[in-house]
């Protein structure tokens, strides 16, 4: 398998317009391929490009397979199909009886259970059956992330503008119509649960549409590959391509600054949970832009261009696409 084929699920757009978010959502830890930790901040900086807006650049030489940085999600949500098999917070796969249960959901640890208490206390006050049926009927996954985000905002865990830094997707009139249906169901769930007006003042139709547009284009599909930090990068990347089924989706801050390339020099993956790892796929020189692939890079030229144009709103002009490969 070529290195190009090892970058299936990198999914975020980096044409952003505000300063970089505080380091709450990413780790400063970096390491080389032998697992030796590098002290200090990640070896990257965020800068501007003429063609693609914000971008991530190496501040020193980074060796092939080295860990650039890790990233914790701003919001992560399990898929409906994986609710009984993964941790309700971090999306780690649950093994046998080694889990903590609370009001119908399971966690991998007491820490995850405690960290979820704020938003889950909010969530359990409302009846979500109609909203979940709507998501299941249309096979919608991102409205579930908006629901969790709303509960986190009401609990005080996040501000309502926490994702404003992200670029929104362009939505069709048909999609907006379906979005409005979901907004009505979400709003009614909170209203029927007698939440205070001040608690849900942020939840306007405009906010819901805007946040869903941002999640839609910036959410990563989480496919856990297992393994450990010391395992070979290319083997783990191959596992992420060959794995079946996502356990959920998540939105991150720093990874959203990475631009796309059909022959990338960096890769994003998930080992045990929704904490992301950004690694290099080859040697990267100081000042070189770090890029990931938003789609399955093993696809042909026409298929890649179609998906990138329709799904992300741009025509790729990377060196690989210029060659027609």
């Amino acid at each position: 398998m070529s290195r190009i084929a090892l970058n299936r699920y990198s999914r975020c757009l980096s044409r952003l317009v505000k300063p970089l978010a505080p380091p709450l959502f990413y780790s400063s830890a970096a390491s080389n391929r032998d697992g030796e930790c590098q002290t200090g901040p990640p070896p990257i900086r965020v800068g501007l490009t003429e063609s693609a807006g914000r971008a991530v650049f190496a501040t020193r030489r980074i060796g092939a397979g080295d860990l650039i940085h890790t990233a914790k999600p701003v919001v992560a949500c399990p898929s409906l199909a994986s609710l009984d098999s993964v941790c309700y917070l971090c999306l780690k796969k649950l093994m046998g009886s080694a889990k903590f249960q609370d009001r119908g959901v399971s966690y991998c640890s007491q820490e995850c259970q405690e960290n979820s208490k704020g938003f889950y206390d909010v969530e359990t006050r409302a009846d979500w059956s109609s909203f979940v049926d709507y998501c299941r009927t249309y096979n919608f996954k991102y409205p579930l992330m908006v629901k969790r985000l709303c509960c986190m905002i009401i609990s005080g865990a996040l501000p309502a503008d926490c994702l404003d830094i992200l670029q929104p997707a362009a939505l069709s009139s048909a999609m907006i119509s379906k979005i409005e249906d979901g907004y009505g169901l979400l709003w009614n769930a909170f209203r029927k649960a007698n939440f205070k007006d001040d608690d849900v003042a942020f939840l306007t139709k405009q906010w819901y549409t805007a946040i869903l547009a941002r999640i839609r284009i910036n959410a990563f599909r989480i496919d856990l590959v297992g393994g450990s930090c010391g395992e070979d990068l290319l083997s783990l990347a191959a596992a992420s391509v060959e794995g079946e089924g996502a356990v959920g989706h998540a939105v991150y801050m720093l990874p959203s600054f990475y631009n796309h390339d059909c022959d990338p020099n960096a890769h994003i993956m998930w080992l045990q949970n929704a904490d992301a790892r950004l690694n290099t796929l080859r040697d990267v020189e100081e000042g070189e832009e770090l890029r990931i692939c938003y789609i399955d890079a093993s696809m042909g030229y026409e298929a890649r261009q179609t998906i990138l144009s329709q799904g992300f709103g741009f025509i790729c002009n990377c060196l690989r696409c210029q060659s027609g490969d």
Side-chain angles (χ1 to χ4, degrees):
M1 180 180 292
S2 68
R3 293 191 179 189
I4 291 173
L6 301 178
N7 305 276
R8 184 172 182 179
Y9 300 125
S10 301
R11 297 196 55 203
C12 62
L13 197 60
S14 306
R15 303 169 187 174
L16 310 179
V17 296
K18 293 185 178 180
L20 183 63
L24 173 63
F25 303 115
Y26 71 91
S27 167
S28 62
S31 66
N32 59 30
R33 66 183 307 165
D34 295 322
E36 298 172 343
C37 290
Q38 309 294 309
T39 58
I44 56 175
R45 65 176 179 84
V46 177
L48 291 174
T49 65
E50 293 182 359
S51 60
R54 295 288 180 96
V56 179
F57 299 88
T59 57
R60 60 168 172 80
R61 187 180 185 279
I62 309 174
D66 285 359
L67 173 67
I68 307 167
H69 65 87
T70 61
K72 290 188 174 296
V74 181
V75 57
C77 187
S79 65
L80 291 175
S82 65
L83 279 175
D84 296 329
S85 60
V86 301
C87 176
Y88 199 58
L89 179 66
C90 77
L91 310 189
K92 181 178 180 179
K93 291 184 178 179
L94 301 173
M95 302 297 180
S97 59
K99 54 188 177 182
F100 296 77
Q101 295 184 330
D102 179 21
R103 292 168 287 179
V105 300
S106 299
Y107 300 93
C108 67
S109 66
Q110 185 175 357
E111 180 181 5
C112 279
Q113 181 177 344
E114 292 174 351
N115 289 339
S116 300
K117 188 178 186 305
F119 79 79
Y120 196 54
D121 283 348
V122 173
E123 182 178 327
T124 52
R125 288 175 56 186
D127 178 3
W128 298 105
S129 56
S130 296
F131 186 77
V132 171
D133 287 345
Y134 154 82
C135 293
R136 183 176 284 112
T137 297
Y138 290 103
N139 196 28
F140 285 164
K141 45 194 176 289
Y142 303 134
L144 295 169
M145 298 185 70
V146 179
K147 184 201 79 171
R148 173 161 294 192
L149 184 62
C150 286
C151 294
M152 295 175 75
I153 292 170
I154 292 171
S155 73
L158 290 174
D161 63 354
C162 61
L163 297 186
D164 284 2
I165 193 173
L166 302 181
Q167 174 77 11
L171 301 176
S172 66
S173 57
M175 179 61 70
I176 291 175
S177 177
K178 288 188 174 64
I179 284 175
E180 291 176 347
D181 292 341
Y183 168 76
L185 292 169
L186 184 70
W187 172 254
N188 283 333
F190 283 120
R191 181 181 60 80
K192 291 178 180 179
N194 297 317
F195 280 84
K196 296 179 180 179
D197 290 343
D198 289 345
D199 290 338
V200 294
F202 69 92
L203 186 51
T204 64
K205 186 182 296 184
Q206 181 181 9
W207 180 89
Y208 181 86
T209 302
I211 209 75
L212 193 55
R214 285 173 167 81
I215 289 176
R216 182 174 181 269
I217 203 171
N218 289 282
F220 287 80
R221 166 176 161 155
I222 309 302
D223 289 84
L224 304 178
V225 300
S228 63
C229 299
E231 289 192 45
D232 179 68
L233 170 64
L234 295 183
S235 297
L236 292 174
S240 73
V241 172
E242 295 166 358
E244 293 289 338
V247 298
H249 294 79
V251 174
Y252 304 84
M253 282 297 172
L254 188 54
S256 293
F257 289 88
Y258 283 73
N259 284 318
H260 166 83
D261 198 298
C262 293
D263 186 10
N265 55 14
H267 177 71
I268 186 169
M269 68 173 64
W270 298 267
L271 297 181
Q272 303 290 347
N273 55 29
D275 291 350
R277 295 172 58 86
L278 279 293
N279 290 74
T280 52
L281 289 172
R282 59 173 175 78
D283 292 341
V284 176
E285 301 302 324
E286 180 179 352
E288 184 177 351
E289 183 180 353
L290 289 155
R291 293 192 172 203
I292 59 179
C293 187
Y294 297 170
I295 59 174
D296 182 354
S298 65
M299 294 186 297
Y301 169 79
E302 295 293 341
R304 297 198 314 274
Q305 290 290 351
T306 298
I307 293 176
L308 290 170
S309 176
Q310 295 180 357
F312 295 89
F314 69 92
I315 300 298
C316 183
N317 195 37
C318 70
L319 293 177
R320 183 184 174 200
C321 286
Q322 289 182 35
S323 71
D325 178 14

